[in-house]
Structure formats: C-alpha cells, structure tokens
Amino acid sequence: MPTPVIELINVSCKFVSPEGKITQALREMSLCVNEGDFCAIVGPTGCGKSTTLGMITSLSPPSTGLVKVFGKPVAGIDPNIGFVFQTDAVFPWKNVIDNVAIGPIYRGKNAAEAKKMAADWVRRVGLAGFEHHYPHQLSGGMRKRVALAQTFINEPKILLMDEPFAALDVQTRALMQGELLSLWSELKASVIFVTHDIEEAIALADRVVVLSKGPGTVKSSYDIPLARPRDVSEARYSEQFIHLSKQIWHDLKNEVQI
Amino acid sequence: MNIFSTTSSGGSASEEERRAVAKAVNRSRLVIFLRIGLAVVTLATWELAVIYGLIDPFFFSRPSDIYTQLAVWLTEGTAQGPLWRELLVTMEETVIGFFIGSLLGIFCGIALGRNKLAGDVFSIYIKIANAIPRVVLGSIFIIIFGLGMGSKVALAVVMVFFVVFGNAFQGVREADRNLIANAYILGASKRQVTFSVVIPSALTWILASLHVSFGFALVGAVVGEFLGSRHGIGLLIATAQGTFNAAGVFAAMIVLAVVALAAEYLLTALEDRLLKWRPVQFVEHGM
Ligand SMILES: Nc1ncnc2c1ncn2[C@@H]1O[C@H](COP(=O)(O)OP(=O)(O)OP(=O)(O)O)[C@@H](O)[C@H]1O
Ligand SMILES: [Mg+2]
C-alpha cells in the first residue's frame, strides 16, 4: 500500500482567544488522501473546513494529533502545496499579470520568463485582455480566476481549494470545473476541495467527505464511482449521481438541524 | 488620477461621455472661481476693517502693508540679506530634516513592525514620544549643535521621525494576514514577504504621514531658527517681532505657506504615482 499524500491522524484544533476563551474547531478528525485523489469536503458552516486546510499548509498547526504530508509530519510550508483561499487574497497593488507571475518570481525565476508563463495562464483562465487591470477593476469572479491562475502556475502536487468557485456564475463555474478536472489529470495533483455545493462535490471528486457540525469530525465518506473523464455538466443527470446526492444531502441535513 | 477613464472598451466618445467631461470641467471652474472669490472677500474685509478703524493695524497689520513688506523684501532684500537666501537656508534645513527623519522613520517602523516582541515593547514609548511636545528639544539642540544649521536639522528630524515611524509601524501591523499567508504559500521568503507584501500595504499609511510631516519639518526648522540662528525665515520672524513689525510676521508666514503648498503638491503627485492601484473612492452624490 503506497503512503498517502496527506494524512490527518486524530487531530483536534482549539483556538484560544487572548481573553482565554476556547473555541474548538475540530475534534478527533482523521482523513487520508492518496496520491492523485480528488477529495471533496462538505459540511455545515463553521465546522472547521478552512481550519483543516490551514493545518495541512502548517499555517495553523493542530493542538493535538498529527498531520503528515508526503509521509512526513508537516514542518513549515511545503513548496508542493497550492492553496486557493476562501477570501480574496490577490495583491491589490499588482495588476493581473504581475499577480499571476509572482509565484515563479518568489521561487527564483527571472521576471521575463515568469511573465511569459503568466501570460499563458491568464489566457487559460479566460482573462486575456485584462492583463494590465488592477484587482479593483475586476469583478469578484474575475479576481477568483486570478487567484486560480496564481496557484496553478506553480504546478502544485497538492492542491487545496477553499470554496474556489462560490463567487462564480453558473456558466463560468461549469467552465472552471471542467478546466480544473483537465488540469488535475494533467498535473497528477492530489486535491482537497472544500465546497458547500453537494452537486459540485459529487461531480468533481473521487470521494466526498461529510463533516459533522462544529467542532467538526468526519461523519461519513462516500466513494464516487462515476467514470472518468467526466463531463461535469452531463454527469449530474445520471441515476447514480442523483442517488448519491440524496444520501449526502440526508447526512448533511441531520447536521444542520438543531 | 484619471477620472475620465471609460469602462466601455472601444468606440468613439459618445454624447454621454462628452457631457460628463463638460460637467466635470464646469465644476472645476466653479471651484476655482469660488476659491479666488473667497480670498478676495477675506482680504477686502480685512483692509476695510482697518480703514474704518475696526481693527488696529499695529497688532493685526493690513493686506496692503503685508504686500509692501513682501515687495521690499523681494526687491531690496531683508535686513539679513536677500530673501531668497534666507528662504534657501530654511528650505535646506527643512528638506534635509524631512528626508533624514522620514527615512529613519520608515526604516525603524518597518523593522519594529515586523518583529512582534520588539513592537510590543517599543510601542508604548513611541506613544509617549508622540505625546510630549518635541519642539522643546530645540533648546537642547541649540546647546549641543550651536547656532548653525545642525540644530535646526536635528529638530526637524525629531519632529518628522515619530510621525512617520508611528504610521509605518501601524501600516506594517495592519497588513492583511491573508495576503501574507498567500505570499508564503506561493513560495515567498520572509524577506520577500516584507518587500512585496508588507511594504506595499504600509505605503498608504506612510505616504499619508509624509503629508503631515513635511509641515512638521518646516515647524522644526523655523522654531529652531526662532530660538537662535544667524539666517532663515524663523529669524526674520523673530526680528519682525522685536521691532513690533506685524506686517513682517505675516509676510514671512505667507512665504512659508507658499513653500508648504508647493511641497504638498509634489507629495500628492508622488502619492498618485505610487498608489495608482487604489480604487477611486465612492463619491457621495447630491452635494
Ligand atoms: N483564528 C481563529 N480564532 C478563533 N476561532 C477561529 C479562528 N479560525 C476559525 N475559528 C473558529 O473555528 C471554527 C471553524 O472555522 P472554519 O473557518 O474552519 O469554518 P468553515 O468550516 O471553513 O466555515 P465556512 O464554511 O463558513 O467557511 C469556527 O467556529 C470559527 O469561529
Ligand atoms: Mg471556510
């Protein structure tokens, strides 16, 4: 059995405010993602989805338990990880092309080469013609696409995405989902994809993990046997899809009810 | 800042766009007209009040006297020498003090702001230093550096440093955690984060402080000259005060105001260049 790319073993995460108040975000959570797996996480708001991703990047270490990436306990930011943040995180003082080129520049590429790569990525996320716009001149969805290009250009082996398509309109979202799947098969990346949208989760993932309401833990996990390559917009009409969607919805509903 | 940039791509200027431009031009004309009008009315009221005996020109002077004083200074020079030379001395002190003070302030502010512990320890002293009236140090600087330029520059530096320092420090502290996290994930080192994320986001704060601090540098230089010097506009004011020449004080004030205004203009131009990524503020309509 190959070592999993990402492994969370009994992790709990507590936030202690300066006044001494404790918020438990995760309790005894275990999760395992194999190489090349596309894993979607759904769960009620505030159940600790963003926190889970934060632990994998080492930005917010767990209180107890162990997080392993590539079989080793995380220590510092792994250069193979790409992270699309839930909130806007593009640099407002850089225009689109400079925003996208920044990753390779940080990693030591010279500016001209980085810009050439960036121009290609800007085109691939459908922002050709907006290279010299500043983020405040773009719509929310366009900014999100800048963030995607910014992440993809580094060709991460692990891709963590926190509700990346939530701000997009239905058509663009379908387009980006298709693009994500083709990129994923091209990069052979392992993906953890957080979303609120059950259908999106099923359409994209090999496995959907449902978290219980906060403090979150894994409630159930579904393997998605839909064939690859998938047509995201067609897949959702199949019998299997509807059945899975009903099951997951049922699980989630029990969590959201008080 | 370009307020006329259009969002519609391509196409010639439509009727609507032309009307918008005309409206903006008309408005800026109105503003200029009202500004000049206000100045004329104020000066005329002042002059008339003196003529009708409502104000004593011995204490408050009058616009025509101030004008005459300025004309004399410009044509015949001041008691200490030509006006431009006095102004040059003051400007030199101000500009040198401004540059040293703001560079030191920016450097220390960023360095301390990036170090959490040092920041927490020092921030209280910065607050104290900002609260005490620093002009008092002028007397000490005169004792240390003498009547020459050094004491004035030192006072200007002290006046500027704490303002810029405080803002740079605050700006660094307010930098968006999310952007910093994003930069680290994209592969930045701590140094790269400082230069490509922290400094650009602190820049808004720093530039705002430069506006105020140029005025502070000028105050430092003039007060320094006031306390003891051989040249400069501050000395001019002190001399005028000694001879009960109110017009002289006002005339010197006008000279300083012109300098401050020019500096303000230059700093605004610099700010617009450096912060061209900022969105135009929403305009409140119906005013
Ligand atoms: N820095 C922090 N300090 C204190 N509490 C925090 C912090 N970050 C998150 N929390 C708490 O941890 C819990 C989980 O937060 P998290 O952001 O992981 O939720 P989420 O599942 O991503 O929710 P959403 O779907 O709304 O994005 C919440 O109760 C939140 O209040
Ligand atoms: Mg979240």
Side-chain angles (χ1 to χ4, degrees):
Chain A
M1 180 148 170
T3 49
V5 173
I6 303 168
E7 219 175 341
L8 281 78
I9 306 163
N10 278 333
V11 289
S12 300
C13 187
K14 287 184 186 141
F15 292 103
V16 184
S17 70
E19 299 90 55
K21 234 175 86 60
I22 294 176
T23 320
Q24 181 150 23
L26 287 171
R27 99 189 109 87
E28 299 288 305
M29 167 155 170
S30 294
L31 182 72
C32 188
V33 179
N34 289 319
E35 184 172 355
D37 255 8
F38 197 124
C39 175
I41 297 182
V42 295
T45 177
C47 72
K49 303 184 294 296
S50 300
T51 309
T52 307
L53 297 187
M55 287 189 313
I56 298 168
T57 60
S58 86
L59 287 173
S60 64
S63 321
T64 60
L66 188 61
V67 183
K68 285 186 183 174
V69 173
F70 296 118
K72 289 193 281 289
V74 291
I77 290 163
D78 192 306
N80 289 308
I81 292 182
F83 191 175
V84 181
F85 285 78
Q86 183 170 13
T87 44
D88 237 357
V90 296
F91 304 111
W93 48 85
K94 286 186 185 298
N95 62 25
V96 170
I97 191 120
D98 289 338
N99 254 301
V100 176
I102 193 78
I105 289 175
Y106 281 151
R107 288 160 189 234
K109 275 241 160 49
N110 71 45
E113 209 174 322
K115 282 221 178 165
K116 229 173 76 195
M117 285 167 73
D120 185 41
W121 275 103
V122 168
R123 195 182 42 69
R124 282 174 83 171
V125 296
L127 287 177
F130 291 92
E131 284 87 353
H132 299 289
H133 281 56
Y134 285 94
H136 78 264
Q137 297 166 313
L138 303 175
S139 72
M142 289 159 105
R143 278 202 291 275
K144 205 80 219 185
R145 282 188 266 163
V146 175
L148 291 175
Q150 203 177 43
T151 300
F152 286 142
I153 197 171
N154 281 332
E155 304 193 341
K157 285 264 157 277
I158 295 179
L159 192 50
L160 309 175
M161 307 180 86
D162 201 346
E163 302 184 29
F165 301 148
L168 302 183
D169 61 283
V170 183
Q171 293 91 333
T172 315
R173 188 193 300 201
L175 222 73
M176 294 300 298
Q177 286 169 346
E179 181 80 354
L180 173 64
L181 283 186
S182 67
L183 282 169
W184 165 67
S185 55
E186 198 180 303
L187 291 175
K188 304 261 180 290
S190 315
V191 182
I192 298 188
F193 188 99
V194 168
T195 176
H196 275 138
D197 184 342
I198 296 173
E199 304 208 332
E200 181 176 59
I202 302 171
L204 293 175
D206 297 316
R207 191 150 61 94
V208 176
V209 174
V210 182
L211 296 191
S212 66
K213 68 165 181 282
T217 187
V218 176
K219 181 186 169 75
S220 53
S221 167
Y222 294 87
D223 284 321
I224 310 296
L226 302 176
R228 302 264 186 201
R230 281 182 208 165
D231 184 337
V232 178
S233 44
E234 290 300 317
R236 66 184 75 235
Y237 301 113
S238 74
E239 196 78 24
Q240 238 174 348
F241 190 103
I242 295 165
H243 179 69
L244 278 164
S245 149
K246 268 187 190 149
Q247 263 182 314
I248 296 174
W249 176 237
H250 180 79
D251 270 8
L252 259 182
K253 203 170 64 179
N254 288 340
E255 286 307 320
V256 181
Q257 271 171 358
I258 312 161
Chain B
M1 206 164 288
N2 184 6
I3 45 171
F4 301 133
S5 71
T6 54
T7 43
S8 64
S9 50
S12 59
S14 69
E15 180 62 26
E16 194 182 349
E17 283 167 340
R18 239 174 295 131
R19 240 183 294 136
V21 172
K23 203 173 146 198
V25 169
N26 276 341
R27 204 192 127 76
S28 71
R29 278 195 194 136
L30 176 71
V31 169
I32 291 171
F33 174 76
L34 287 177
R35 279 177 184 165
I36 295 173
L38 186 62
V40 170
V41 168
T42 309
L43 292 178
T45 314
W46 187 354
E47 187 79 35
L48 285 174
V50 171
I51 290 172
Y52 289 106
L54 295 172
I55 322 181
D56 188 346
F58 180 76
F59 300 117
F60 298 105
S61 189
R62 58 200 285 178
S64 52
D65 283 355
I66 298 169
Y67 175 78
T68 317
Q69 177 70 79
L70 271 176
V72 169
W73 277 353
L74 283 171
T75 52
E76 296 162 29
T78 66
Q80 300 137 33
L83 180 64
W84 64 264
R85 236 182 51 200
E86 301 304 305
L87 185 58
L88 210 64
V89 171
T90 305
M91 284 306 299
E92 213 174 321
E93 294 156 358
T94 306
V95 171
I96 295 175
F98 174 72
F99 271 104
I100 297 178
S102 32
L103 286 180
L104 273 180
I106 292 171
F107 181 79
C108 295
I110 289 170
L112 273 194
R114 288 294 280 155
N115 185 327
K116 182 120 180 45
L117 182 63
D120 286 342
V121 172
F122 277 95
S123 56
I124 180 75
Y125 293 109
I126 304 304
K127 282 212 187 81
I128 294 173
N130 244 334
I132 53 174
R134 294 179 298 278
V135 266
V136 178
L137 287 173
S139 307
I140 294 175
F141 289 145
I142 297 227
I143 298 172
I144 302 174
F145 298 112
L147 291 184
M149 195 172 269
S151 52
K152 284 85 197 167
V153 171
L155 188 54
V157 167
V158 169
M159 296 290 291
V160 169
F161 173 80
F162 287 98
V163 181
V164 178
F165 177 92
N167 269 46
F169 182 76
Q170 193 65 19
V172 167
R173 286 301 193 82
E174 304 269 305
D176 191 341
R177 317 300 317 160
N178 245 320
L179 292 184
I180 294 178
N182 192 20
Y184 276 125
I185 300 244
L186 290 173
S189 61
K190 180 152 190 190
R191 220 182 101 87
Q192 284 170 323
V193 168
T194 303
F195 280 95
S196 75
V197 183
V198 173
I199 292 180
S201 45
L203 207 57
T204 319
W205 287 75
I206 293 171
L207 286 171
S209 74
L210 292 189
H211 281 279
V212 193
S213 57
F214 188 85
F216 274 26
L218 201 57
V219 170
V222 171
V223 170
E225 289 165 357
F226 214 82
L227 293 173
S229 66
R230 290 186 207 92
H231 283 292
I233 302 291
L235 179 59
L236 218 55
I237 296 176
T239 314
Q241 179 197 334
T243 56
F244 298 103
N245 176 8
V249 177
F250 280 111
M253 237 164 79
I254 287 174
V255 172
L256 290 178
V258 170
V259 169
L261 219 62
E264 173 73 24
Y265 179 81
L266 287 178
L267 282 169
T268 306
L270 175 76
E271 193 173 31
D272 283 350
R273 258 187 78 92
L274 287 177
L275 298 182
K276 61 176 189 294
W277 54 268
R278 261 197 323 198
V280 182
Q281 306 299 320
F282 282 111
V283 200
E284 194 176 334
H285 284 288
M287 293 292 291

